[in-house]
Amino acid sequence: MKAPIGWLAEHADLPTDLDPRALADALIRVGLEVERVESGAEDISGPLVVGRVLSFEDEPQKNGKTIRWCSVDVGEDEPRGIVCGAANFAAGDLVVVSLPGAVLPGGFAISARKTYGHVSDGMICSVRELAIGDDHQGILVLPADSAKPGADALDVLGLREAVLDVAVTTDRGYALSIRGLAREAAAALGVAFRDVEAALPPADGAAYGVVIDDRSGCDRFSARALTGLDPAAPTPEWMARRLRQCGMRPISLAVDVTNYVMLETGQPLHAFDRTRLRGDLHARRARAGETVRTLDDVERALDPADMVVADDTGPVAIAGVMGGASTEIGPTTTEVVLEAARWNPPSIAYTARRHRLPSEASRRFERGVDPEIAGIALQRCVDLLAEHGSASPVAGYTVVGSPPAAEPIRLGAALPAATAGVDISRPQVVAALQVVGCAVSGDDPMLVTPPTWRPDLTHPADLVEEVLRLVGYETVPSVLPPLRPGTGLTPAQQLRRAVSRAVAAAGFTEVLSYPFVAPAVHDALGLPPDDPRYDALRLVNPLSEAEPELRTSLLPGLLAAVQRNLGRGNRDLALFESGLVFLRDPDAPPPPDLTVLRRPTEDEVAQLYAAVPPQPRRTAAVLCGARRVKTWQEAERPADWSDAVDFARVVARAAGAELTVRAAERAPWHPGRCAELVLGDRAIGYAGELHPRVVAALDLPERTCAVELDLDAFPAPQPARAPRISTYPPVLLDLALVVDEAVPAAAVLHAVRDAAGPLLESVRLFDVYQDVQRLGRGRKSLAFALRFRADDRTLTVEEATAARDAAVAAAGLATGAALRS
Amino acid sequence: MPQPNFDPVEVAALQPEAIEAEVTTALKAIAAAATLDELKTARLAHAGDRSPLALANREIGALPPAARKAAGQRVGAARGEVAAALTARQTELEAERDARVLLDESVDVTLPTDRNPVGARHPLTTLQERIGDIFIAMGYSVAEGPEVEAAWLNFDALNTPGDHPSRELTDTFWVESVDSGLVMRTQTSPVQIRVMLEQQPPIYVICPGKTFRTDELDATHTPVFHQVEGLVVDEGITMAHLKGTLDHMAEQLFGPGMRTRFRPHYFPFTEPSGEMDILCFVCRGRSVGNPDEPCRTCSNEGWIEWGGCGMVNPRVLAACGIDPERYSGFAFGMGIERSLMFRSGVADMRDIVEGDVRFTAAFGMES
């Protein structure tokens, strides 16, 4: 809502020397978001004057355009010759001329310049060139006799006046009016406020026939009528100027008056051409299949939830949103019916959104309009049309419907102080409430009746806010609540932090990808048709129709991040992400239909929670390119399956757990290079190299590797048990075992470890070796470093060797391993 | 052989002049030894068994008894002097050798050593942790909840009217169907509702997490973003406590002297409600009314909008089974992305969400 300060001053006793910025700050303090203080003159310098077009000649040009070579009186001895490209003016019209030396908004400097064969000695301006509107269809034509040639156009246009631009929150419909903003300004500055007033005729229902068919959509519909309007009567310049200052375009007197009064009172109004109406006006819902052509000349299909104003022929307006073309005020209209209704706010909000048609009217109706202002607003229109359009009021005043009156609210006198934590006396409370228009009676609790324009005030807390904002939020001191002991992070939260730090320390970089995925990504990942990962939750309204599903795995998002990085030349990648995936629970009940008037029962809460789909937390990583880049010391080592498995081991170590690994086949991994990650006896994830087909389908670098595991699967870490540290010296022995190449190293390792007995302190596989000549085809040698130690004595080599031999024998039995000779 | 008792033998080698000359020669040779090998040669020549002083020493027995003592002392002193010189030179040459070896072993320590792959945590993660820690230190718990959430928890329980446009498909992602009752949470506030349903006051929680709205990604918007909300419900909680808590948070996050300002505003969840501004982190208010020091960050306002806050609407408390007559509470919320942009000067939202490793790497392990 834009508000020229002079207009506000008509309703609030603003100090004459008030700095506009100070007014803006005062409004901000009471809770109105003043986004800008504008003045149209800020960006204009140099001579900008009123001119009268004395005569012109149309001159067609080679480029197809026709220019006008004009003679313009700018109050000087001689008229000036000016070239103009517009054609929406006539000889004798008053226009705005920027003379050479002027600079218009955007740094547009005007000089006398040669164009189209003439020297143009200035420019005739459009509203867009003056930055007072968007209209560039033609130049700005001022109302006849509104100024003298040579007059300062900045004054005539009111461009020197400061205009506040206020963003109004959804609960404050009344602030979308000069009336409402002036009240706030008066309250903020502690000066007197004068409301819009008018003497009303008795409501006799005689202005025009009105029927409210749907009272849920419309609780009051008022109408007045006029006859004998001069359709050619111009809008007075002061009114056109204020409309422009408020960002509206002057159109015609009847339309301008309804807009002007809307800005003044907050009551949207609509003017019908009475001769084009057929029968009574009805406020009703649209019927299936009905359409209406709106003022913007678009034929709109109506929804049965839309409220409309209809006559016998059908809808003539989308109620509260936009009027219809068929009954529009036109250049010949002399008979006028004025509508001032009150529509149901959410109904208007839905309709405006459904038709993508936010309008000045809908913005106000969505936020709620004062039910008692309609009559005054209509009277203001009647008066203005009579004064400026020679119209005569038709006797009669139609008012249908009666909005419910506000209920008094019981307010404890101490509640504002107790809420703010600052002293606020009872008189302060009463004064603040009276300033916003409340009637206050009673002692403690007080009985507070909110004014008709404040439908948002329904509870004591609402009144507390009114008191506090007028007393001033800045009076609230800064006090920390008394300290109370906390319990810190939960074990699961600590575990997640530890994991995140550990994998980053291990060289992985975190990304946070969107959870939106394309169903086709599952095909690209080569999932079997019955894979549950296909069974994703779908969004009703995805941002992209291509990605309507919620991820069931972190890998699609990570792979997309890999591709994005590759596209930017980042080639050696180890990305990780931790986050929720979304699973469908076919047995989930629908959410119960709950009230907010009481706490839901435990059963209802349980049912509500059960309706929410399972969302386990995963952690995953993708690697490609070099895991270790080439350095002056070492050759490059490409990322491989083992890095993916190692990611899982780093995660597990950070979680205080140990994973076992076994070969598995699972999409999207390479069937021969996929590790199942097992915690206890449960598979909690997979790691390895991606299947070559997946790599090809997703256009990834060869041998891209991936890992994903369930982070929720790790139990809270328990305090570690301290080992007993023997101070006796160890015996170190190496051991090479030859096995069939299909035997997993882990099986050999386990056999060795189990059979070597308690003297074995540690065992580490340090070499894998294949050689057809020495070992035979299909055989491999695994070399282990064994470290033996006793708790209570210095171990002899013989004892250690005996233990190793036992391990060799056991490995032989378990895996067919033979000591390498 | 001469008769020692009566036939004094002239032993030239034991003449003081000769010994002195030999010492001089020896010391010169020792000093001249430039290497340990040359010193070895000098040692053999001047302190070895065949050295003049050793030979002279042998001659002592040939002297008359009366002369032996003086000659012995003379030769002993001379040998001692040479030995000391050898030791000193030896020490000197060994030190030189050691220094030379170490010098030979020197490397170019400016060579790069970064062979281990370097990772990084996303600044949104670390900033959420940091904010969590600020509140943990004040006795709060970190509360979390699901991202696909029951609409009742995301809207109704937060006092959002049933017909409020924010529920619309134009604003909120609905899951499965428009009447499924499931949405992608548009705020972390449903976590607060869960906490209030699950426990009675005192409640001190901070709720960081992902939130979702149907905004297209651009320089200042992202459909998936992060919020942190705080909720306190206890006896005697006032707006002054809210202000104190947020001022503390501002200082902890942005440095000493930072503070907040409230402006009245509207949120259904809180009443009274306020927008919360933070002192401009660039000019710290110095640009206000000061044309010499203009600030583009805050447009010379001195303050920047940071989040929303207010006293928990008593209707919300009642809907969660908490007695609004006994307890009061405050709640606040702010965007993590916005806070990150303030804190680290991120210019474009897309840098935060696109996962370019160069962006994240700049933040390292902690932001």
Side-chain angles (χ1 to χ4, degrees):
Chain A
M1 172 78 196
K2 292 191 176 184
I5 286 201
W7 203 352
L8 292 175
E10 290 179 11
H11 297 281
D13 281 344
L14 305 182
T16 46
D17 58 348
L18 181 63
D19 177 3
R21 191 62 243 179
L23 175 58
D25 288 342
L27 287 170
I28 288 170
R29 275 200 304 280
V30 297
L32 287 163
E33 200 172 324
V34 181
E35 296 194 316
R36 269 184 308 280
V37 181
E38 317 170 330
S39 154
E42 274 167 19
D43 298 331
I44 298 176
S45 64
L48 188 73
V49 299
V50 174
R52 184 187 302 281
V53 179
L54 300 175
S55 62
F56 60 83
E57 282 169 39
D58 283 324
E59 295 184 354
Q61 301 294 315
K62 283 197 213 100
N63 63 8
K65 281 165 86 174
T66 297
I67 61 107
R68 283 182 171 185
W69 172 234
C70 311
S71 174
V72 185
D73 173 9
V74 293
E76 297 166 337
D77 293 344
E78 293 294 320
R80 292 189 183 225
I82 297 175
V83 171
C84 182
N88 66 322
F89 58 95
D93 277 352
L94 289 178
V95 296
V96 175
V97 181
S98 50
L99 297 177
V103 179
L104 297 186
F108 182 13
I110 306 299
S111 58
R113 63 189 186 102
K114 195 146 197 282
T115 180
Y116 294 113
H118 299 283
V119 173
S120 185
D121 205 8
M123 185 182 79
I124 304 178
C125 302
S126 71
V127 295
R128 196 202 286 174
E129 283 154 353
L130 296 170
I132 55 178
D134 288 333
D135 193 4
H136 199 55
Q137 296 300 312
I139 54 104
L140 171 60
V141 178
L142 300 173
D145 303 326
S146 60
K148 288 204 160 31
D152 183 339
L154 287 175
D155 285 336
V156 173
L157 293 170
L159 289 180
R160 293 196 200 280
E161 187 177 27
V163 178
L164 305 185
D165 190 358
V166 184
V168 175
T169 51
T170 51
D171 60 328
R172 297 269 183 90
Y174 73 98
L176 286 173
S177 65
I178 295 296
R179 174 195 187 220
L181 290 176
R183 182 187 302 278
E184 291 288 318
L189 295 168
V191 299
F193 167 72
R194 275 182 309 281
D195 207 347
V196 182
E197 285 177 350
L200 305 188
D204 56 6
Y208 198 84
V210 168
V211 181
I212 300 179
D213 299 293
D214 189 324
R215 290 194 181 253
S216 73
C218 176
D219 59 17
R220 178 170 282 177
F221 196 122
S222 308
R224 293 292 295 273
L226 292 129
T227 183
L229 174 73
D230 172 7
T235 301
E237 176 50 28
W238 59 265
M239 185 184 290
R241 188 182 77 209
R242 281 188 170 165
L243 290 173
R244 282 194 299 265
Q245 284 177 309
C246 294
M248 299 187 83
R249 186 162 57 101
I251 294 166
S252 67
L253 179 67
V255 173
D256 293 348
V257 163
T258 56
N259 282 338
Y260 182 83
V261 173
M262 173 184 72
L263 293 173
E264 183 177 68
T265 62
Q267 169 71 58
L269 298 131
H270 186 63
F272 294 99
D273 183 333
R274 181 173 194 150
T275 63
R276 297 163 84 174
L277 289 173
R278 298 287 173 267
D280 288 348
L281 288 175
H282 288 259
R284 62 164 170 86
R285 301 280 170 188
R287 294 176 185 138
E290 278 185 333
T291 63
V292 65
R293 179 169 290 273
T294 42
L295 285 175
D296 53 358
D297 213 30
V298 176
E299 188 76 21
R300 296 179 188 273
L302 295 167
D303 187 279
D306 291 334
M307 284 300 290
V308 295
V309 180
D311 69 0
D312 293 352
T313 66
V316 294
I318 303 180
V321 175
M322 192 174 272
S326 68
T327 55
E328 186 183 358
I329 297 284
T332 59
T333 300
T334 59
E335 310 302 300
V336 176
V337 175
L338 293 166
E339 164 212 326
R342 215 174 86 102
W343 306 100
N344 175 264
S347 171
I348 296 299
Y350 273 106
T351 295
R353 278 161 185 259
R354 194 179 292 123
H355 295 284
R356 296 180 195 278
L357 203 58
S359 65
E360 292 288 339
S362 70
R363 280 174 66 210
R364 288 172 173 79
F365 284 123
E366 279 177 29
R367 289 165 170 78
V369 167
D370 180 359
E372 299 307 323
I373 199 66
I376 293 166
L378 287 170
Q379 187 63 49
R380 288 281 292 146
C381 287
V382 167
D383 293 346
L384 288 166
L385 287 172
E387 184 181 350
H388 300 287
S390 316
S392 310
V394 173
Y397 173 27
T398 300
V399 181
V400 180
S402 52
E407 293 286 325
I409 303 164
R410 294 160 68 87
L411 175 69
L415 188 61
T419 305
V422 68
D423 285 338
I424 303 171
S425 68
R426 188 177 182 283
Q428 277 179 295
V429 172
V430 173
L433 292 172
Q434 285 172 340
V435 162
V436 299
C438 293
V440 183
S441 65
D443 188 26
D444 194 0
M446 317 174 185
L447 274 185
V448 181
T449 307
T452 52
W453 59 87
R454 293 300 302 271
D456 58 309
L457 304 182
T458 55
H459 286 71
D462 304 328
L463 300 176
V464 168
E465 178 172 275
E466 293 303 305
V467 173
L468 292 188
R469 75 185 180 93
L470 291 182
V471 171
Y473 275 18
E474 71 278 5
T475 61
V476 175
S478 184
V479 180
L480 277 171
L483 227 57
R484 44 176 60 251
T487 52
L489 294 174
T490 63
Q493 288 165 345
Q494 285 173 339
L495 185 150
R496 287 198 321 250
R497 282 197 188 186
V499 165
S500 170
R501 289 207 177 98
V503 296
F508 290 82
T509 300
E510 187 176 23
V511 299
L512 297 171
S513 51
Y514 289 174
F516 313 125
V517 295
V521 79
H522 299 127
D523 302 333
L525 290 175
L527 306 190
D530 58 348
D531 194 293
R533 282 171 285 179
Y534 268 112
D535 195 15
L537 293 166
R538 285 184 85 89
L539 294 178
V540 176
N541 50 334
L543 274 186
S544 156
E545 289 301 328
E547 294 183 332
E549 292 190 348
L550 294 180
R551 65 187 180 194
T552 54
S553 156
L554 299 180
L555 293 184
L558 275 169
L559 293 170
V562 164
Q563 284 162 329
R564 203 170 301 123
N565 273 287
L566 289 169
R568 297 179 183 184
N570 307 325
R571 275 193 238 160
D572 303 320
L573 298 170
L575 306 183
F576 83 97
E577 175 164 16
S578 295
L580 304 187
V581 298
F582 306 89
L583 308 182
R584 181 195 297 281
D585 176 5
D587 301 326
D593 198 10
L594 298 178
T595 172
V596 291
L597 300 177
R598 59 162 175 79
R599 185 192 186 278
T601 65
E602 291 305 330
D603 279 352
E604 286 170 332
V605 172
Q607 203 188 337
L608 189 66
Y609 284 11
V612 176
Q615 295 161 59
R617 188 176 296 267
R618 303 263 180 84
T619 190
V622 173
L623 300 106
C624 65
R627 181 63 177 138
R628 280 174 178 273
V629 295
K630 176 175 169 20
T631 69
W632 56 275
Q633 287 173 298
E634 294 165 30
E636 169 176 309
R637 185 174 74 66
D640 66 20
W641 64 270
S642 68
D643 295 308
V645 175
D646 194 53
F647 175 90
R649 293 200 191 275
V650 169
V651 169
R653 201 175 310 123
E658 198 176 338
L659 292 177
T660 51
V661 165
R662 58 191 180 218
E665 284 188 34
R666 183 178 166 89
W669 283 276
H670 185 308
R673 297 183 173 188
C674 174
E676 186 173 56
L677 309 167
V678 182
L679 181 69
D681 52 4
R682 207 188 123 201
I684 63 159
Y686 296 86
E689 187 180 310
L690 290 178
H691 197 293
R693 273 205 303 273
V694 173
V695 168
L698 293 173
D699 201 18
L700 295 165
E702 277 182 25
R703 309 239 174 256
T704 297
C705 296
V707 47
E708 178 168 28
L709 67 163
D710 185 357
L711 210 44
D712 292 337
F714 292 100
Q718 297 300 309
R721 303 295 305 174
R724 282 178 53 194
I725 300 297
S726 166
T727 54
Y728 292 95
V731 176
L732 308 178
L733 297 175
D734 284 354
L735 170 63
L737 293 172
V738 177
V739 291
D740 193 90
E741 67 182 357
V743 174
V748 181
L749 190 70
H750 283 139
V752 168
R753 184 183 291 152
D754 289 351
L759 293 176
L760 182 68
E761 187 176 84
S762 70
V763 54
R764 187 169 61 84
L765 185 152
F766 68 90
D767 194 26
V768 181
Y769 169 74
Q770 283 189 289
D771 185 316
V772 175
Q773 254 111 56
R774 295 190 187 177
L775 304 176
R777 188 167 303 282
R779 305 284 284 169
K780 65 184 173 188
S781 165
L782 304 175
F784 299 92
L786 284 66
R787 174 190 285 260
F788 293 95
R789 198 187 318 245
D791 284 344
D792 55 349
R793 62 188 189 284
T794 298
L795 202 59
T796 63
V797 174
E798 290 71 26
E799 285 177 287
T801 308
R804 181 190 66 179
D805 292 347
V808 172
L813 280 176
T815 66
L819 200 59
R820 189 176 156 204
S821 49
Chain B
M1 195 170 251
Q3 177 44 259
N5 291 328
F6 56 88
D7 189 11
V9 179
E10 278 294 311
V11 181
L14 288 174
Q15 290 301 315
E17 297 77 21
I19 287 173
E20 210 166 286
E22 170 51 24
V23 167
T24 303
T25 310
L27 292 182
K28 204 178 274 176
I30 289 166
T35 66
L36 286 166
D37 282 345
E38 284 173 24
L39 187 64
K40 200 173 171 185
T41 309
R43 183 191 304 277
L44 270 176
H46 300 285
D49 289 348
R50 314 281 317 156
S51 63
L53 286 178
L55 293 175
N57 197 42
R58 279 192 218 160
E59 297 296 335
I60 291 173
L63 292 180
R68 283 183 199 161
K69 189 178 176 196
Q73 280 173 348
R74 207 158 44 236
V75 174
R79 295 181 77 181
E81 194 176 348
V82 170
L86 277 169
T87 306
R89 186 65 184 148
Q90 177 82 21
T91 308
E92 225 170 81
L93 288 174
E94 278 178 357
E96 276 175 27
R97 180 202 59 193
D98 290 353
R100 201 164 45 247
V101 167
L102 292 178
L103 195 68
D104 289 348
E105 286 177 1
S106 67
V107 296
D108 179 0
V109 296
T110 67
L111 281 168
T113 59
D114 53 346
R115 50 191 171 271
N116 290 319
V118 176
R121 306 176 74 206
H122 198 284
L124 289 177
T125 303
T126 50
L127 189 53
Q128 286 177 86
E129 290 182 2
R130 184 175 292 267
I131 292 170
D133 287 343
I134 293 169
F135 286 91
I136 289 276
M138 290 192 280
Y140 286 54
S141 300
V142 175
E144 294 161 311
E147 291 168 8
V148 169
E149 183 59 288
W152 190 85
L153 293 166
N154 192 72
F155 291 123
D156 303 62
L158 291 157
N159 199 35
T160 314
D163 43 26
H164 195 274
S166 69
R167 298 171 180 249
E168 284 272 295
L169 291 169
T170 49
D171 291 3
T172 299
F173 290 114
W174 284 78
V175 177
E176 294 290 275
S177 74
V178 284
D179 49 10
S180 66
L182 296 173
V183 297
M184 303 295 289
R185 68 179 180 196
T186 59
Q187 46 200 349
T188 47
S189 317
V191 179
Q192 304 184 19
I193 300 298
R194 284 173 174 262
V195 169
M196 287 192 279
L197 287 173
E198 290 161 23
Q199 74 174 90
Q200 280 291 309
I203 292 170
Y204 289 75
V205 291
I206 188 91
C207 318
K210 257 181 208 178
T211 48
F212 307 83
R213 289 183 200 168
T214 58
D215 291 318
E216 296 281 352
L217 175 64
D218 64 24
T220 53
H221 296 86
T222 162
V224 182
F225 56 105
H226 296 73
Q227 275 192 340
V228 60
E229 294 190 29
L231 171 72
V232 166
V233 184
D234 204 345
E235 289 177 340
I237 292 297
T238 68
M239 212 156 155
H241 294 141
L242 169 62
K243 177 99 168 80
T245 302
L246 289 169
D247 282 345
H248 179 70
M249 178 184 181
E251 280 213 328
Q252 291 292 305
L253 216 47
F254 298 106
M258 290 301 277
R259 57 181 193 276
T260 62
R261 168 180 90 167
F262 294 171
R263 287 176 287 115
H265 198 73
Y266 170 73
F267 302 109
F269 178 65
T270 48
E271 190 78 40
S273 304
E275 291 265 34
M276 182 218 329
D277 297 336
I278 185 165
L279 202 60
C280 174
F281 53 94
V282 173
C283 77
R284 303 235 168 176
R286 282 190 298 272
S287 68
V288 180
N290 182 1
D292 296 337
E293 212 175 325
C295 180
R296 285 198 315 192
T297 305
C298 65
S299 309
N300 306 334
E301 301 276 341
W303 297 91
I304 296 174
E305 194 177 317
W306 191 23
C309 64
M311 303 305 291
V312 181
N313 195 315
R315 279 173 275 184
V316 172
L317 294 179
C320 295
I322 292 172
D323 179 4
E325 298 294 321
R326 179 173 172 199
Y327 295 107
S328 58
F330 66 70
F332 59 85
M334 64 276 292
I336 307 275
E337 278 81 356
R338 194 167 163 76
S339 304
L340 176 65
M341 288 171 130
F342 290 169
R343 198 162 183 270
S344 299
V346 182
D348 194 316
M349 182 70 81
R350 284 168 288 215
D351 292 340
I352 300 179
V353 306
E354 282 176 342
D356 191 311
V357 291
R358 292 169 298 171
F359 176 81
T360 309
F363 290 88
M365 296 294 286
E366 307 293 334
S367 66

